[in-house]
Amino acid sequence: MSSPTLNALVHTMRYEADGIVSVEFRPATPAVEFPAFEAGSHIDLHLPNGLVRSYSLCNPASDRQRYVVGVLNDRKSRGGSRYVHQQLRVGMTLPISAPRNNFALEEGARRSVLVAGGIGVTPIWCMLQRLASLGRPVELVYCARSRKEAAFVDAIEALAREKTIELSWHFDDEQGAPPDLAKLLAGRGDYSHYYCCGPTPMLDAFERSCEQLACANVHIERFAAVHVEAPAATQGCVVACAKSGREIEVPAGKSILDSLIDAGLDPDHSCKEGVCGACETAVLEGEIDHHDGILTKAERAANKTMMICVSRCKGARLVLDI
């Protein structure tokens, strides 16, 4: 089934940096109550043009009845961010999902190192505010192509001064090169938790650097703007549904999710792009061909869960806990 939605009012839109706006949502009516959320959470916007897009929450997790997201007007937009920038207006209402968290913060960590790349600062900013409010040791590494394209800089600097938080800035146009993440992350201790959200090349570099430095506690989140849609499947498979006792044929070129829906089953889902996490399903048997933007390398290697909207079977058969 599609995830239940909340009716939200576009209360405020604010320029945050070149090409970036923040959008504040509040309940459209007194009858609507926004659920509480944790740092690292995101919501899905069900846009009037029929698209569903996921955006991380960037306001403090202590806020009630208020969700704020940051949206980059992506050059490669397939209609989501372009709609937000060009057509979404204050006073409009639209359905949004309740918050989901695929990027959970370990609040009790001895130290947290937060790494933001461009618009990936949105969940990182939320995490920084949360850890600062708890008085936990935290530092931020913020990377962007240029200072003018970096959102929330003034607010981050103000919080850092107030809470004595260590900040590292890297702007490509000033440094003349991408960040050397291995150098920036070195010497933080194997007990630290490392978090990164940003474009795919940066996330790949972050994971390589963490492996090189033998960091044990590594967390990443990929955002929808850089998600690359999986190519069409060239062969079909059979999906056995353990709970329902059904066996469903999944033909080449069709997703597992769509095949289950067409067979009369009702799996939870939302974005159908492998970035929201709504359709994550436990895998009991079979080898997975992952194409989502959520799971880490370790989670993919464990072969225990998959996003059935985009990921597939490497063999002829999968058994799902559905």
Side-chain angles (χ1 to χ4, degrees):
M1 62 178 177
S2 293
S3 302
T5 58
L6 306 163
N7 196 25
L9 170 73
V10 180
H11 182 272
T12 308
M13 297 185 70
R14 174 188 167 97
Y15 173 90
E16 300 292 353
D18 278 8
I20 298 174
V21 297
S22 64
V23 184
E24 178 179 333
F25 295 97
R26 295 191 183 182
T29 66
V32 176
E33 183 173 342
F34 282 176
F37 68 95
E38 300 172 341
S41 297
H42 67 270
I43 58 173
D44 301 335
L45 307 188
H46 294 252
L47 299 171
N49 62 0
L51 297 176
V52 179
R53 293 292 183 264
S54 299
Y55 296 103
S56 296
L57 294 171
C58 55
N59 55 308
S62 58
D63 282 356
R64 295 293 179 265
Q65 299 297 79
R66 189 172 84 103
Y67 294 157
V68 182
V69 300
V71 182
L72 169 69
N73 191 7
D74 184 44
R75 297 175 179 86
K76 299 179 182 178
S77 173
R78 289 168 291 124
S81 66
R82 185 181 303 116
Y83 182 92
V84 171
H85 277 258
Q86 296 182 357
Q87 295 180 260
L88 195 68
R89 295 292 181 265
V90 170
M92 293 174 61
T93 61
L94 68 158
I96 66 172
S97 74
R100 281 189 298 272
N101 199 345
N102 303 314
F103 193 37
L105 178 64
E106 180 53 61
E107 295 183 350
R110 287 172 59 185
R111 186 169 191 81
S112 298
V113 181
L114 310 178
V115 182
I119 192 59
V121 72
T122 48
I124 297 297
W125 174 218
C126 185
M127 289 177 167
L128 184 68
Q129 293 172 91
R130 176 60 176 168
L131 291 169
S133 73
L134 296 172
R136 305 300 302 170
V138 58
E139 62 182 282
L140 171 66
V141 177
Y142 191 168
C143 308
R145 285 186 298 232
S146 67
R147 192 176 297 270
K148 67 180 182 178
E149 295 177 88
F152 312 121
V153 169
D154 290 345
I156 289 170
E157 288 182 329
L159 181 65
R161 286 193 298 269
E162 179 187 347
K163 299 292 186 179
T164 319
I165 297 169
E166 181 179 345
L167 299 179
S168 298
W169 304 97
H170 180 99
F171 300 112
D172 292 354
D173 65 341
E174 297 176 11
Q175 300 294 328
D180 183 344
L181 290 177
K183 183 177 180 180
L184 287 168
L185 298 177
R188 268 50 179 197
D190 58 7
Y191 53 81
S192 294
H193 280 249
Y194 299 82
Y195 302 82
C196 184
C197 183
T200 298
M202 182 175 180
L203 290 175
D204 292 342
F206 172 79
E207 289 189 306
R208 286 194 303 269
S209 299
C210 288
E211 288 176 8
Q212 177 184 332
L213 297 170
C215 304
N217 307 302
V218 178
H219 316 267
I220 67 170
E221 181 167 65
R222 302 179 187 273
F223 45 82
V226 298
H227 176 64
V228 177
E229 192 170 333
T234 57
Q235 65 181 35
C237 69
V238 173
V239 172
C241 303
K243 288 180 179 177
S244 65
R246 301 276 304 279
E247 288 205 354
I248 309 300
E249 293 276 351
V250 180
K254 190 172 185 178
S255 71
I256 292 174
L257 173 63
D258 286 340
S259 297
L260 296 180
I261 292 172
D262 289 348
L265 297 177
D266 196 22
D268 195 12
H269 64 279
S270 185
C271 76
K272 290 193 173 184
E273 295 194 319
V275 292
C276 76
C279 71
E280 184 172 4
T281 303
V283 178
L284 306 179
E285 294 178 28
E287 192 175 0
I288 308 162
D289 180 16
H290 292 285
H291 289 279
D292 66 276
I294 295 175
L295 300 178
T296 64
K297 289 182 179 178
E299 289 168 334
R300 291 183 176 199
N303 202 71
K304 292 182 178 178
T305 186
M306 70 185 295
M307 308 303 151
I308 59 174
C309 64
V310 292
S311 298
R312 304 189 290 262
C313 177
K314 284 188 176 179
R317 180 181 172 85
L318 276 177
V319 181
L320 302 182
D321 188 25
I322 195 171

